[in-house]
């Protein structure tokens, strides 16, 4: 069975600093996808970044990058130059195989950016 | 804007009542999904559709739950005889044909069962 583990319930970071949110995963499938979503207090789930298990390079989307270490089964999210608007819950998720997006989510990390 | 509209935004109901939520994908899309998120947890997969066909249902979806997508566009999720344990955020999500791996969520319907 797939499992996503986010070991940081909460993180506090100073504005403009970089922050790394940890995510480890467990699967026996050779083909899988890894996602990060942001959930502000308003509740919507905002797609941030995606990494396929066969992708050769780490994914990047603007200030977001995914530090994909396949052998360690980790997919940490790095946010550069944090902003006050980055304060939110962050969820790591995994899709097994290809096709339908039946994602398994972690427990989430609450990120607070201090001015 | 993810291209997914959900209605209502909030729903308060009494235990035992039936409720129905609606999901309207605004844009061209591939598949439509329903997820449920309880307080303090990540979302959990419930079911998904390709066109009108409901292709898979999670074990979380008891027989009190039914989802439909009558014309392959909007979808409804109905809960009959609601229980307090049904209180959660119900999220609709879609994939686009061009970016099939990426799942985009609507703003959700927050259900409170009293």
């Amino acid at each position: 069975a797939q499992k996503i583990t986010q070991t940081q319930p909460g993180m506090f970071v100073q504005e403009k600093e970089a922050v790394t949110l940890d995510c480890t995963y467990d699967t026996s499938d050779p083909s899988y996808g890894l996602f990060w979503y942001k959930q502000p207090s308003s509740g919507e789930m905002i797609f941030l970044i995606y990494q396929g298990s066969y992708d050769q390079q780490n994914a990047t989307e603007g200030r977001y990058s995914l530090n994909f270490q396949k052998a360690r089964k980790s997919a940490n999210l790095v946010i550069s130059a944090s902003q006050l608007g980055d304060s939110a819950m962050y969820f790591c998720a995994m899709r097994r195989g290809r096709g339908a997006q039946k994602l398994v989510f972690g427990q989430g990390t609450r990120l607070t950016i201090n001015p | 804007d993810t291209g997914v509209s959900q209605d209502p935004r909030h729903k308060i109901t009494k235990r035992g009542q039936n409720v129905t939520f609606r999901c309207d994908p605004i844009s061209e899309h591939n598949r439509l999904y329903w997820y449920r998120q309880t307080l303090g947890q990540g979302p959990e997969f419930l079911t998904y559709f390709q066109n009108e066909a409901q292709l898979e249902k999670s074990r979380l979806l008891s027989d009190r739950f039914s989802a439909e997508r009558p014309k392959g566009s909007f979808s409804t999720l109905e809960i009959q005889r609601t229980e307090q344990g049904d209180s959660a955020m119900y999220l609709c999500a879609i994939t686009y044909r061009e970016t099939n791996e990426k799942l985009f969520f609507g703003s959700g319907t927050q259900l409170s069962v009293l």
Side-chain angles (χ1 to χ4, degrees):
Chain A
Q2 317 107 41
K3 186 178 179 182
I4 292 284
T5 302
Q6 295 181 252
T7 57
Q8 307 153 310
M11 288 274 288
F12 294 85
V13 173
Q14 210 63 28
E15 190 180 6
K16 299 181 184 176
E17 289 184 350
V19 56
T20 298
L21 305 182
D22 295 342
C23 172
T24 58
Y25 60 92
D26 188 21
T27 182
S28 55
D29 251 301
S31 175
Y32 51 90
L34 297 159
F35 300 76
W36 277 92
Y37 285 87
K38 172 184 178 182
Q39 189 173 43
S41 55
S42 51
E44 72 269 32
M45 293 286 287
I46 302 169
F47 168 81
L48 294 180
I49 198 165
Y50 167 79
Q51 179 88 42
S53 59
Y54 293 121
D55 292 344
Q56 294 297 314
Q57 293 190 330
N58 286 347
T60 60
E61 295 275 357
R63 295 187 297 114
Y64 305 107
S65 60
L66 199 152
N67 184 1
F68 182 42
Q69 298 191 38
K70 200 168 183 176
R72 290 186 172 186
K73 293 189 175 179
S74 75
N76 298 340
L77 176 71
V78 180
I79 306 174
S80 63
S82 58
Q83 302 170 356
L84 295 179
D86 293 333
S87 295
M89 280 292 286
Y90 288 80
F91 289 96
C92 180
M94 176 171 63
R95 181 205 71 231
R96 185 181 70 180
R98 301 185 70 83
Q101 302 301 322
K102 297 176 290 181
L103 303 187
V104 174
F105 283 80
Q107 298 273 69
T109 295
R110 180 167 297 282
L111 176 64
T112 303
I113 307 298
N114 295 316
Chain B
D1 183 7
T2 60
V4 185
S5 175
Q6 290 191 247
D7 184 66
R9 193 78 173 87
H10 301 276
K11 179 72 176 177
I12 299 174
T13 190
K14 292 183 179 177
R15 190 174 53 187
Q17 297 293 304
N18 299 344
V19 294
T20 300
F21 313 135
R22 180 177 169 121
C23 172
D24 269 287
I26 301 166
S27 310
E28 278 290 313
H29 59 283
N30 187 9
R31 291 171 173 159
L32 185 148
Y33 299 76
W34 284 98
Y35 279 73
R36 180 175 71 184
Q37 185 179 21
T38 52
L39 198 60
Q41 305 293 320
E44 298 170 294
F45 168 76
L46 293 179
T47 187
Y48 84 99
F49 294 82
Q50 174 123 21
N51 300 319
E52 299 90 352
Q54 187 174 15
L55 297 186
E56 186 169 340
K57 293 185 349 178
S58 160
R59 286 172 293 177
L60 294 173
L61 223 58
S62 76
D63 56 7
R64 294 185 298 105
F65 289 70
S66 62
E68 292 183 348
R69 197 179 179 201
K71 297 183 180 178
S73 56
F74 73 91
S75 176
T76 59
L77 178 67
E78 182 184 14
I79 308 174
Q80 295 182 328
R81 305 180 303 281
T82 52
E83 302 173 355
Q84 286 185 324
D86 297 331
S87 295
M89 174 78 85
Y90 290 84
L91 294 159
C92 179
I94 61 172
T95 52
Y96 293 99
R97 289 187 177 85
E98 311 82 54
T99 56
N100 192 41
E101 300 89 0
K102 300 174 185 177
L103 191 64
F104 295 94
F105 285 87
S107 298
T109 294
Q110 181 66 52
L111 173 66
S112 298
V113 181
L114 305 179

